[in-house]
Amino acid sequence: MEHAAGPVPAAGFGPCAAIPAEHMDFIRQILDRIGDKWSMLIIALLEDGPMRYTDLQRNVPGISQRMLSLTLRQLTQDGLVTRTAYAEVPPRVEYSLTHLSQGLLDIVKQLIGWASDHHEEIRQNRTRAEPTH
Amino acid sequence: MEHAAGPVPAAGFGPCAAIPAEHMDFIRQILDRIGDKWSMLIIALLEDGPMRYTDLQRNVPGISQRMLSLTLRQLTQDGLVTRTAYAEVPPRVEYSLTHLSQGLLDIVKQLIGWASDHHEEIRQNRTRAEPTH
DNA sequence: CAGTATCCCGACGGATACTG
DNA sequence: CAGTATCCGTCGGGATACTG
């Protein structure tokens, strides 16, 4: 991100130097899509390589068939996941990442890393925040 | 639920090398929290420095007072945002990032950058995915 | 195996009105 | 200015049953 260096550039201080208002729109779009309950998890899981429907279902604990299907369809439509169906006797379908989602994968992994590092701290903060009332 | 009876291959490549099942839990916790509709946006906005309640309200287009209050309270409780109230005649309250959210900010910025770079591609993918009926 | 279809509940979150 | 309180609709998403 170019932020050039600069403490609040331009005139006075604008209402929002960090995010141009024009960007707000699709930032929300993307967040709504991958910020949902399962997308990032699935993308992270696909890092290892292609996975089948049931593989995903086993490895994303708690996901329902409905949500798995829906999420995969969304991701496929967005070009973040590739669906490959093999015409075999027991049907086989594999899902894998695309070039587009490779960059996203990197970020998702960072987010997971951050969560791993700080979830405990956050939990502590949360419980200790009670007494205020 | 543990189906301990399962193969659970342990050797070779397990069902999930990317995310150990134990981590799934708090990954979901974090995603549920910051993956909501407004948290990341607010964190990104606070990069520039402290902002007041109304500043945030202006710069997060479409957010309601209710959601702004709620989100800020959540973030404050989690230790991701600091709330500072000045006892002045017109009340003034400022919100800013904490050391904890600094690392998260970096990731959020990357995500925003990624969204900026690829939202168009994603939109195209989405529209061109229709004909499949 | 890899899904789809249907039902249904709870929460997320917007609109509005009120307060310290 | 900086919130809280209440009402209420939408819809994300789980449970269950069925299909190619």
Side-chain angles (χ1 to χ4, degrees):
Chain A
M1 272 329 164
E2 54 258 90
H3 238 281
V8 188
F13 47 59
C16 171
I19 308 180
E22 326 95 66
H23 289 196
M24 282 288 182
D25 222 37
F26 53 77
I27 292 174
R28 288 301 328 286
Q29 306 279 336
I30 303 295
L31 280 185
D32 280 350
R33 193 48 71 92
I34 62 163
D36 68 1
K37 202 171 181 180
W38 307 108
S39 291
M40 287 205 197
L41 232 37
I42 290 177
I43 289 173
L45 278 176
L46 290 177
E47 181 187 12
D48 295 334
M51 292 184 79
R52 307 174 61 163
Y53 185 86
T54 38
D55 286 337
L56 287 167
Q57 198 169 0
R58 311 187 112 234
N59 286 288
V60 183
I63 196 171
S64 62
Q65 290 176 329
R66 171 188 152 84
M67 275 304 109
L68 183 54
S69 295
L70 262 171
T71 307
L72 285 172
R73 203 184 307 152
Q74 303 273 21
L75 292 173
T76 303
Q77 283 184 3
D78 288 356
L80 297 173
V81 155
T82 308
R83 193 193 109 114
T84 311
Y86 300 90
E88 300 178 358
V89 190
R92 184 169 60 120
V93 178
E94 285 186 346
Y95 294 92
S96 53
L97 297 182
T98 66
H99 76 286
L100 181 55
S101 48
Q102 292 294 339
L104 182 57
L105 171 64
D106 189 56
I107 298 171
V108 169
K109 283 166 64 180
Q110 288 184 54
L111 195 57
I112 290 175
W114 186 88
S116 305
D117 292 342
H118 300 292
H119 73 110
E120 200 173 347
E121 190 174 353
I122 289 179
R123 293 200 86 176
Q124 287 177 6
N125 288 336
R126 201 173 302 172
T127 42
R128 109 173 35 196
E130 303 296 334
T132 324
H133 152 52
Chain B
M1 296 38 206
E2 352 265 308
H3 23 116
V8 185
F13 53 64
C16 174
I19 309 181
E22 325 95 65
H23 290 195
M24 282 288 182
D25 222 37
F26 52 77
I27 292 173
R28 289 300 326 287
Q29 306 280 336
I30 303 295
L31 280 184
D32 280 351
R33 193 46 72 91
I34 62 163
D36 68 1
K37 204 171 180 182
W38 307 108
S39 291
M40 288 205 197
L41 232 36
I42 290 178
I43 289 174
L45 278 177
L46 289 178
E47 181 187 12
D48 294 334
M51 293 185 80
R52 305 175 61 164
Y53 184 86
T54 38
D55 287 338
L56 287 166
Q57 200 170 358
R58 311 184 114 236
N59 288 288
V60 183
I63 197 171
S64 61
Q65 290 176 329
R66 171 188 151 83
M67 275 304 109
L68 182 54
S69 295
L70 262 171
T71 307
L72 285 172
R73 203 183 309 152
Q74 302 274 19
L75 291 173
T76 303
Q77 282 185 3
D78 289 356
L80 296 172
V81 156
T82 308
R83 194 194 110 114
T84 311
Y86 300 89
E88 300 178 357
V89 189
R92 185 169 60 119
V93 177
E94 285 186 346
Y95 294 91
S96 54
L97 297 182
T98 65
H99 77 285
L100 181 56
S101 48
Q102 291 294 339
L104 183 56
L105 170 66
D106 188 56
I107 298 171
V108 169
K109 282 166 65 180
Q110 288 184 53
L111 196 57
I112 290 175
W114 186 88
S116 304
D117 292 342
H118 301 292
H119 75 109
E120 200 172 349
E121 191 174 351
I122 289 179
R123 294 200 86 174
Q124 287 178 6
N125 289 335
R126 202 173 301 175
T127 42
R128 108 174 34 199
E130 303 297 332
T132 326
H133 168 24

